[in-house]
């Protein structure tokens, strides 16, 4: 029986890369997108692998949409649930210029929604399975020696804190929880100057997931499997 994965946020970039990499290793993958019409590459991937990939629709900030997806997937078990969806936030990244609306959307999307969704679907993780969160090394408080990207940093630091608390609630379940930094990747968010391509990062991330399989603990790692300081 092939392993199965639910990938939240997979229309493009790293999410799409993860779906492609998992499928290439024989996983059955259920990726989610906000708008199927804007996910042409993923739709083509589904057409090329109709038994291994099935796209679902989800806006991570819409509680009703989360419940609708939960109803559609009721009874299914997943070896991996990967929470990938996220945003960069306002271009200025300045505390001085931030508005309540800016911060509300950024923190809810990057910090609150992933953990809420993980909690909602945690009972559907197969025994010995993994829940993974796409975080960033910018969320490391100890590792912040340069400053910059202040609002995005704060949202990922909040995600790391919430994920840590969530992992504690699962400590007796045998579920592994991973917070993974993908590296600086050439995506719409990462920009053209980034040194890594999506395939390299996605391959590393899946390697890390498989290497940590069954560890039953929480780790904060990069795509090479190296531990990051909290």
């Amino acid at each position: 029986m092939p392993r199965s994965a639910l990938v939240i946020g997979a229309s493009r970039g790293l999410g799409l890369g993860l779906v492609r990499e998992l499928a290439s290793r024989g996983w059955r993958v259920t990726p989610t997108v906000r708008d199927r019409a804007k996910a042409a590459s993923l739709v083509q991937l589904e057409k090329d692998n109709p038994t291994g990939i099935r796209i679902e629709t989800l806006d991570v900030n819409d509680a009703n949409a989360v419940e609708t997806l939960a109803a559609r997937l009721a009874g299914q078990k997943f070896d991996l649930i990967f929470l990938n969806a996220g945003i960069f936030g306002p271009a200025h990244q300045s505390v001085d210029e931030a508005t309540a609306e800016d911060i509300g959307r950024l923190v809810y999307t990057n910090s609150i929604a992933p953990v809420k969704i993980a909690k909602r679907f945690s009972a559907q993780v197969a025994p010995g399975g993994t829940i993974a969160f796409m975080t960033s090394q910018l969320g490391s408080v100890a590792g912040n020696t340069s400053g910059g990207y202040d609002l995005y940093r704060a949202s990922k630091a909040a995600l790391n804190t919430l994920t840590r608390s969530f992992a504690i609630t699962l400590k007796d379940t045998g579920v592994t929880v991973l917070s993974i930094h993908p590296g600086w990747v050439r995506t719409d968010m990462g920009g053209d100057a980034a040194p890594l391509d999506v395939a390299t990062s996605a391959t590393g991330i899946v390697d890390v997931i498989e290497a940590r399989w069954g560890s039953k603990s929480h780790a904060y790692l990069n795509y090479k499997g190296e531990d990051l300081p909290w």
Side-chain angles (χ1 to χ4, degrees), residues 70-90:
R72 286 180 57 83
L73 300 181
Q76 293 190 42
K77 291 287 186 179
F78 297 97
D79 297 289
L80 169 67
I81 297 178
F82 200 113
L83 291 302
N84 174 65
I87 59 175
F88 181 67

Side-chain angles (χ1 to χ4, degrees), residues 125 168 173 180:
V125 179
I168 291 169
T173 67
I180 303 178

Side-chain angles (χ1 to χ4, degrees), residues 45-120:
L45 202 59
E46 181 187 49
K47 289 178 180 177
D48 293 340
N49 190 359
T51 61
I53 298 173
R54 189 187 74 185
I55 299 170
E56 295 283 354
T57 302
L58 175 67
D59 179 344
V60 298
N61 291 343
D62 184 339
N64 290 331
V66 173
E67 289 306 314
T68 297
L69 179 64
R72 286 180 57 83
L73 300 181
Q76 293 190 42
K77 291 287 186 179
F78 297 97
D79 297 289
L80 169 67
I81 297 178
F82 200 113
L83 291 302
N84 174 65
I87 59 175
F88 181 67
H92 58 74
Q93 286 292 303
S94 167
V95 170
D96 294 334
E97 296 181 46
T99 66
E101 183 178 0
D102 287 338
I103 299 304
R105 181 166 181 261
L106 177 63
V107 172
Y108 194 90
T109 303
N110 285 4
S111 316
I112 305 297
V115 178
K116 286 186 73 170
I117 294 169
K119 286 186 174 185
R120 182 64 180 83

Side-chain angles (χ1 to χ4, degrees), residues 7 9 27 34 42 51 75 87 89 97 104 110 128 157 159 167 176 196 216:
V7 180
W27 289 62
R34 279 187 298 173
L42 182 62
T51 61
I87 59 175
E97 296 181 46
N110 285 4
L159 172 62
T176 298
L196 289 176
K216 303 177 184 179

